Amino acid sequence: MSVLTSSAAQAIKMQPALPPDFIYRLDVAQYHAMIRTGVLTSDDQVELLEGWLIPKMPKNPPHRIATRRVYRTLDALIPAGWYVDAQEPLTLSDSEPEPDVCIVRGATEDYTESNPGPEDVALVVEIADVTLERDRGLKKRLYARAAIPTYWIINLVERQLEEYSAPDEADYQQRRDYGLSDSVTVRIGEHELGPLAVRELFP
């Protein structure tokens, strides 16, 4: 396991970048209106990231298997008062990402009127292969700005789990990399889940 800490100065320099594959510029209310009126449906594979409507990448078998493994492992360990969700929307100030896996406060029935917000989320997980650049850049930045405590990238390319923590208004300030022979602990408030064998999260 390696530990890296980024400086606040470097983080502040990071500015939202125009994604190369953007479609339309929207705010969250406009995005919700498009869903409510049927302009966007479940057949439209897009998500709202920093105000841009961006295509979601197709999922290959390793991505699908890793998503299932992460979901199953976390679901077996979470304490009462939390649940694990997969590929469902979170509503942030200017974004509505659909992380591959996340740990959410309460029960899914608590969110009949709105999606979970950042204050409801303890951990977000993205499974990264062809999306690695986006997950390390755009996704990491918006999760940090939303003050989500911990962000994992299951990096299928380099076969490691990247854990980001200590969010501020620009980025996460701490990063830890875990190899396949390592174990990782998830913290939800006063609860510690694990240790989890990293190898078990990978296909």
Side-chain angles (χ1 to χ4, degrees):
M1 181 182 70
S2 62
V3 179
L4 299 174
T5 302
S6 60
S7 69
Q10 288 176 324
I12 290 171
K13 290 179 181 178
M14 293 185 65
Q15 298 296 326
L18 178 63
D21 49 1
F22 76 93
I23 301 177
Y24 297 114
R25 184 72 167 165
L26 299 169
D27 62 28
V28 171
Q30 290 170 323
Y31 181 63
H32 286 174
M34 292 174 72
I35 295 171
R36 188 172 59 253
T37 59
V39 175
L40 289 176
T41 71
S42 58
D43 293 331
D44 296 299
Q45 295 300 301
V46 295
E47 57 187 341
L48 185 70
L49 303 179
E50 291 187 335
W52 298 106
L53 195 59
I54 296 178
K56 293 193 293 185
M57 300 301 291
K59 296 173 176 58
N60 56 33
H63 188 289
R64 175 181 53 79
I65 294 168
T67 300
R68 182 60 186 163
R69 287 191 171 196
V70 172
Y71 179 97
R72 183 178 58 208
T73 300
L74 294 176
D75 191 53
L77 293 174
I78 55 170
W82 297 84
Y83 72 98
V84 180
D85 216 344
Q87 299 175 343
E88 298 297 337
L90 305 176
T91 300
L92 311 181
S93 62
D94 64 353
S95 303
E96 195 155 282
E98 298 180 9
D100 290 311
V101 181
C102 61
I103 297 177
V104 183
R105 188 188 315 277
T108 187
E109 293 81 8
D110 296 333
Y111 302 97
T112 58
E113 300 297 327
S114 62
N115 300 319
E119 68 280 1
D120 304 310
V121 179
L123 169 71
V124 290
V125 184
E126 297 287 0
I127 313 301
D129 39 29
V130 296
T131 63
L132 182 58
E133 181 178 356
R134 181 185 297 179
D135 294 334
R136 280 177 170 171
L138 180 61
K139 288 281 187 77
K140 180 166 68 76
R141 184 170 62 243
L142 65 88
Y143 291 142
R145 289 205 319 269
I148 292 174
T150 307
Y151 172 42
W152 284 2
I153 296 176
I154 305 298
N155 183 339
L156 299 180
V157 179
E158 298 168 356
R159 307 289 290 173
Q160 64 183 17
L161 185 156
E162 300 173 11
E163 179 185 69
Y164 298 89
S165 59
D168 66 13
E169 70 280 0
D171 202 353
Y172 287 98
Q173 296 304 297
Q174 294 183 355
R175 169 180 169 175
R176 291 179 173 85
D177 293 344
Y178 297 84
L180 296 183
S181 61
D182 293 325
S183 296
V184 61
T185 298
V186 182
R187 291 172 178 82
I188 303 177
E190 300 299 319
H191 299 277
E192 288 193 355
L193 314 183
L196 310 179
V198 171
R199 186 180 302 276
E200 295 302 313
L201 306 177
F202 283 75

